[in-house]
PDB file of all heavy atoms in Angstrom:
ATOM      1  N   ASN B  44     -10.434 -13.133 -18.287  1.00 97.00           N
ATOM      2  CA  ASN B  44     -10.027 -14.039 -17.224  1.00 97.00           C
ATOM      3  C   ASN B  44     -10.463 -13.561 -15.849  1.00 97.00           C
ATOM      4  O   ASN B  44     -11.035 -14.309 -15.062  1.00 97.00           O
ATOM      5  CB  ASN B  44      -8.501 -14.083 -17.225  1.00 97.00           C
ATOM      6  CG  ASN B  44      -8.005 -15.477 -17.332  1.00 97.00           C
ATOM      7  OD1 ASN B  44      -8.308 -16.298 -16.473  1.00 97.00           O
ATOM      8  ND2 ASN B  44      -7.285 -15.749 -18.407  1.00 97.00           N
ATOM      9  N   ALA B  45     -10.165 -12.306 -15.583  1.00 98.00           N
ATOM     10  CA  ALA B  45     -10.478 -11.734 -14.277  1.00 98.00           C
ATOM     11  C   ALA B  45     -11.984 -11.710 -14.057  1.00 98.00           C
ATOM     12  O   ALA B  45     -12.474 -12.063 -12.984  1.00 98.00           O
ATOM     13  CB  ALA B  45      -9.907 -10.328 -14.174  1.00 98.00           C
ATOM     14  N   ILE B  46     -12.706 -11.307 -15.099  1.00 98.00           N
ATOM     15  CA  ILE B  46     -14.154 -11.226 -14.974  1.00 98.00           C
ATOM     16  C   ILE B  46     -14.737 -12.607 -14.661  1.00 98.00           C
ATOM     17  O   ILE B  46     -15.653 -12.737 -13.853  1.00 98.00           O
ATOM     18  CB  ILE B  46     -14.783 -10.688 -16.282  1.00 98.00           C
ATOM     19  CG1 ILE B  46     -14.283  -9.271 -16.570  1.00 98.00           C
ATOM     20  CG2 ILE B  46     -16.300 -10.713 -16.194  1.00 98.00           C
ATOM     21  CD1 ILE B  46     -14.663  -8.259 -15.559  1.00 98.00           C
ATOM     22  N   ARG B  47     -14.167 -13.606 -15.278  1.00 97.00           N
ATOM     23  CA  ARG B  47     -14.656 -14.963 -15.016  1.00 97.00           C
ATOM     24  C   ARG B  47     -14.528 -15.287 -13.525  1.00 97.00           C
ATOM     25  O   ARG B  47     -15.458 -15.796 -12.903  1.00 97.00           O
ATOM     26  CB  ARG B  47     -13.862 -15.964 -15.861  1.00 97.00           C
ATOM     27  CG  ARG B  47     -14.389 -17.384 -15.710  1.00 97.00           C
ATOM     28  CD  ARG B  47     -13.761 -18.313 -16.734  1.00 97.00           C
ATOM     29  NE  ARG B  47     -13.930 -17.753 -18.078  1.00 97.00           N
ATOM     30  CZ  ARG B  47     -13.017 -17.828 -19.050  1.00 97.00           C
ATOM     31  NH1 ARG B  47     -11.865 -18.435 -18.813  1.00 97.00           N
ATOM     32  NH2 ARG B  47     -13.242 -17.299 -20.228  1.00 97.00           N
ATOM     33  N   LYS B  48     -13.386 -14.953 -12.977  1.00 97.00           N
ATOM     34  CA  LYS B  48     -13.201 -15.228 -11.549  1.00 97.00           C
ATOM     35  C   LYS B  48     -14.171 -14.422 -10.700  1.00 97.00           C
ATOM     36  O   LYS B  48     -14.763 -14.928  -9.757  1.00 97.00           O
ATOM     37  CB  LYS B  48     -11.758 -14.902 -11.133  1.00 97.00           C
ATOM     38  CG  LYS B  48     -10.774 -15.954 -11.588  1.00 97.00           C
ATOM     39  CD  LYS B  48      -9.350 -15.578 -11.168  1.00 97.00           C
ATOM     40  CE  LYS B  48      -8.330 -16.230 -12.101  1.00 97.00           C
ATOM     41  NZ  LYS B  48      -7.064 -15.491 -12.138  1.00 97.00           N
ATOM     42  N   LEU B  49     -14.336 -13.160 -11.050  1.00 97.00           N
ATOM     43  CA  LEU B  49     -15.266 -12.322 -10.288  1.00 97.00           C
ATOM     44  C   LEU B  49     -16.681 -12.874 -10.388  1.00 97.00           C
ATOM     45  O   LEU B  49     -17.446 -12.814  -9.439  1.00 97.00           O
ATOM     46  CB  LEU B  49     -15.229 -10.876 -10.806  1.00 97.00           C
ATOM     47  CG  LEU B  49     -13.987 -10.068 -10.432  1.00 97.00           C
ATOM     48  CD1 LEU B  49     -14.006  -8.714 -11.110  1.00 97.00           C
ATOM     49  CD2 LEU B  49     -13.897  -9.887  -8.916  1.00 97.00           C
ATOM     50  N   GLN B  50     -17.005 -13.396 -11.553  1.00 97.00           N
ATOM     51  CA  GLN B  50     -18.336 -13.964 -11.736  1.00 97.00           C
ATOM     52  C   GLN B  50     -18.513 -15.197 -10.856  1.00 97.00           C
ATOM     53  O   GLN B  50     -19.540 -15.364 -10.200  1.00 97.00           O
ATOM     54  CB  GLN B  50     -18.546 -14.315 -13.213  1.00 97.00           C
ATOM     55  CG  GLN B  50     -19.800 -15.107 -13.478  1.00 97.00           C
ATOM     56  CD  GLN B  50     -20.606 -14.557 -14.629  1.00 97.00           C
ATOM     57  OE1 GLN B  50     -21.580 -13.842 -14.454  1.00 97.00           O
ATOM     58  NE2 GLN B  50     -20.181 -14.879 -15.849  1.00 97.00           N
ATOM     59  N   GLN B  51     -17.479 -16.042 -10.845  1.00 95.00           N
ATOM     60  CA  GLN B  51     -17.529 -17.256 -10.017  1.00 95.00           C
ATOM     61  C   GLN B  51     -17.773 -16.912  -8.553  1.00 95.00           C
ATOM     62  O   GLN B  51     -18.464 -17.626  -7.847  1.00 95.00           O
ATOM     63  CB  GLN B  51     -16.218 -18.029 -10.144  1.00 95.00           C
ATOM     64  CG  GLN B  51     -16.216 -19.033 -11.289  1.00 95.00           C
ATOM     65  CD  GLN B  51     -14.813 -19.465 -11.650  1.00 95.00           C
ATOM     66  OE1 GLN B  51     -13.891 -19.340 -10.846  1.00 95.00           O
ATOM     67  NE2 GLN B  51     -14.649 -19.982 -12.856  1.00 95.00           N
ATOM     68  N   GLU B  52     -17.180 -15.823  -8.111  1.00 95.00           N
ATOM     69  CA  GLU B  52     -17.323 -15.430  -6.713  1.00 95.00           C
ATOM     70  C   GLU B  52     -18.578 -14.600  -6.474  1.00 95.00           C
ATOM     71  O   GLU B  52     -18.830 -14.133  -5.367  1.00 95.00           O
ATOM     72  CB  GLU B  52     -16.101 -14.620  -6.259  1.00 95.00           C
ATOM     73  CG  GLU B  52     -14.773 -15.345  -6.408  1.00 95.00           C
ATOM     74  CD  GLU B  52     -14.643 -16.509  -5.436  1.00 95.00           C
ATOM     75  OE1 GLU B  52     -15.225 -16.425  -4.335  1.00 95.00           O
ATOM     76  OE2 GLU B  52     -13.986 -17.509  -5.803  1.00 95.00           O
ATOM     77  N   GLY B  53     -19.326 -14.360  -7.549  1.00 95.00           N
ATOM     78  CA  GLY B  53     -20.606 -13.665  -7.387  1.00 95.00           C
ATOM     79  C   GLY B  53     -20.526 -12.153  -7.262  1.00 95.00           C
ATOM     80  O   GLY B  53     -21.423 -11.520  -6.711  1.00 95.00           O
ATOM     81  N   PHE B  54     -19.482 -11.559  -7.785  1.00 97.00           N
ATOM     82  CA  PHE B  54     -19.367 -10.107  -7.706  1.00 97.00           C
ATOM     83  C   PHE B  54     -19.915  -9.405  -8.954  1.00 97.00           C
ATOM     84  O   PHE B  54     -20.300  -8.251  -8.890  1.00 97.00           O
ATOM     85  CB  PHE B  54     -17.909  -9.688  -7.489  1.00 97.00           C
ATOM     86  CG  PHE B  54     -17.373 -10.078  -6.150  1.00 97.00           C
ATOM     87  CD1 PHE B  54     -16.542 -11.178  -6.003  1.00 97.00           C
ATOM     88  CD2 PHE B  54     -17.719  -9.344  -5.019  1.00 97.00           C
ATOM     89  CE1 PHE B  54     -16.065 -11.547  -4.755  1.00 97.00           C
ATOM     90  CE2 PHE B  54     -17.234  -9.698  -3.778  1.00 97.00           C
ATOM     91  CZ  PHE B  54     -16.408 -10.804  -3.640  1.00 97.00           C
ATOM     92  N   VAL B  55     -19.881 -10.109 -10.069  1.00 96.00           N
ATOM     93  CA  VAL B  55     -20.389  -9.502 -11.305  1.00 96.00           C
ATOM     94  C   VAL B  55     -21.213 -10.512 -12.088  1.00 96.00           C
ATOM     95  O   VAL B  55     -21.164 -11.716 -11.827  1.00 96.00           O
ATOM     96  CB  VAL B  55     -19.236  -9.031 -12.234  1.00 96.00           C
ATOM     97  CG1 VAL B  55     -18.329  -8.054 -11.530  1.00 96.00           C
ATOM     98  CG2 VAL B  55     -18.448 -10.217 -12.767  1.00 96.00           C
ATOM     99  N   ILE B  56     -21.973  -9.972 -13.019  1.00 96.00           N
ATOM    100  CA  ILE B  56     -22.689 -10.825 -13.953  1.00 96.00           C
ATOM    101  C   ILE B  56     -22.234 -10.418 -15.347  1.00 96.00           C
ATOM    102  O   ILE B  56     -22.160  -9.228 -15.653  1.00 96.00           O
ATOM    103  CB  ILE B  56     -24.208 -10.622 -13.824  1.00 96.00           C
ATOM    104  CG1 ILE B  56     -24.659 -11.117 -12.452  1.00 96.00           C
ATOM    105  CG2 ILE B  56     -24.939 -11.357 -14.934  1.00 96.00           C
ATOM    106  CD1 ILE B  56     -26.069 -10.727 -12.139  1.00 96.00           C
ATOM    107  N   HIS B  57     -21.919 -11.393 -16.144  1.00 95.00           N
ATOM    108  CA  HIS B  57     -21.401 -11.083 -17.473  1.00 95.00           C
ATOM    109  C   HIS B  57     -21.780 -12.199 -18.432  1.00 95.00           C
ATOM    110  O   HIS B  57     -21.326 -13.324 -18.290  1.00 95.00           O
ATOM    111  CB  HIS B  57     -19.865 -10.937 -17.421  1.00 95.00           C
ATOM    112  CG  HIS B  57     -19.268 -10.684 -18.752  1.00 95.00           C
ATOM    113  ND1 HIS B  57     -18.210 -11.414 -19.240  1.00 95.00           N
ATOM    114  CD2 HIS B  57     -19.577  -9.769 -19.706  1.00 95.00           C
ATOM    115  CE1 HIS B  57     -17.893 -10.947 -20.453  1.00 95.00           C
ATOM    116  NE2 HIS B  57     -18.694  -9.965 -20.753  1.00 95.00           N
ATOM    117  N   GLU B  58     -22.634 -11.860 -19.387  1.00 94.00           N
ATOM    118  CA  GLU B  58     -22.961 -12.843 -20.420  1.00 94.00           C
ATOM    119  C   GLU B  58     -21.994 -12.683 -21.569  1.00 94.00           C
ATOM    120  O   GLU B  58     -21.549 -11.579 -21.863  1.00 94.00           O
ATOM    121  CB  GLU B  58     -24.383 -12.611 -20.932  1.00 94.00           C
ATOM    122  CG  GLU B  58     -25.445 -12.920 -19.897  1.00 94.00           C
ATOM    123  CD  GLU B  58     -26.833 -12.640 -20.463  1.00 94.00           C
ATOM    124  OE1 GLU B  58     -27.075 -13.035 -21.623  1.00 94.00           O
ATOM    125  OE2 GLU B  58     -27.637 -12.010 -19.758  1.00 94.00           O
TER     126      GLU B  58
END
Side-chain angles (χ1 to χ4, degrees):
Chain B
N44 234 300
I46 298 297
R47 184 170 307 143
K48 284 179 205 155
L49 286 174
Q50 171 132 261
Q51 271 163 21
E52 302 291 329
F54 292 102
V55 303
I56 294 169
H57 177 230
E58 292 179 44

